[in-house]
Amino acid sequence: PDTEKKRYKMYTDEEGNFKGDAKCCYFRKESIQLAIQMLNGTKLPGSSKRVKVEQANFTLKGEYNPKLKPKKKNNKNKKKRKKQDNMLDWRDRAGGNDERPNTPKLLS
């Protein structure tokens, strides 16, 4: 369906002037080649400038060191999950009895 939502991003400087770069994302890889064929060399609306369309090339700048990557801290979630697992566990931890209790426990 047609929507008013933009499907591209045009980069501007601090004063709002177009820098000459834009980004457009596609869902399928085949759409990239189709966009290059259809849009490369076309004129911008209201301008005499032509558009150059090419596939983005992403390269790593510098060296990658995984040890410098910050580690995710999910200790809070681990503790919460462990507490919940213990509450839902049917074994009696204090007595060492692994049989299911006869009376149900109420969890709050």
Side-chain angles (χ1 to χ4, degrees):
D2 280 338
T3 63
E4 298 294 321
K5 186 177 176 185
K6 289 196 290 185
R7 297 181 184 149
Y8 59 89
K9 176 177 174 143
M10 298 177 77
Y11 295 102
T12 57
D13 60 12
E14 293 82 22
E15 291 135 18
N17 300 323
F18 180 56
K19 292 172 77 174
D21 296 1
K23 174 180 84 170
C24 185
C25 296
Y26 291 96
F27 183 67
R28 301 187 63 163
K29 192 169 185 170
E30 297 84 15
S31 301
I32 298 169
Q33 291 304 318
L34 185 62
I36 292 171
Q37 291 173 1
M38 292 178 64
L39 299 174
N40 194 26
T42 60
K43 288 185 180 180
L44 286 173
S47 175
S48 61
K49 295 184 180 182
R50 295 195 176 267
V51 177
K52 179 181 179 187
V53 180
E54 62 186 7
Q55 185 172 350
N57 182 16
F58 297 101
T59 57
L60 181 64
K61 295 179 183 177
E63 303 249 343
Y64 175 70
N65 186 352
K67 291 182 180 179
L68 297 177
K69 184 177 178 183
K71 296 192 179 183
K72 293 181 181 176
K73 294 186 178 183
N74 58 357
N75 292 338
K76 189 175 185 181
N77 290 339
K78 264 187 186 178
K79 288 178 183 178
K80 187 177 180 182
R81 189 173 34 235
K82 188 173 182 178
K83 183 178 179 181
Q84 187 179 27
D85 288 345
N86 283 339
M87 288 175 61
L88 295 174
D89 195 1
W90 52 267
R91 292 175 289 173
D92 183 17
R93 299 254 180 227
N97 185 5
D98 284 345
E99 294 178 11
R100 188 173 182 160
N102 292 338
T103 56
K105 292 182 181 177
L106 293 176
L107 302 177
S108 55

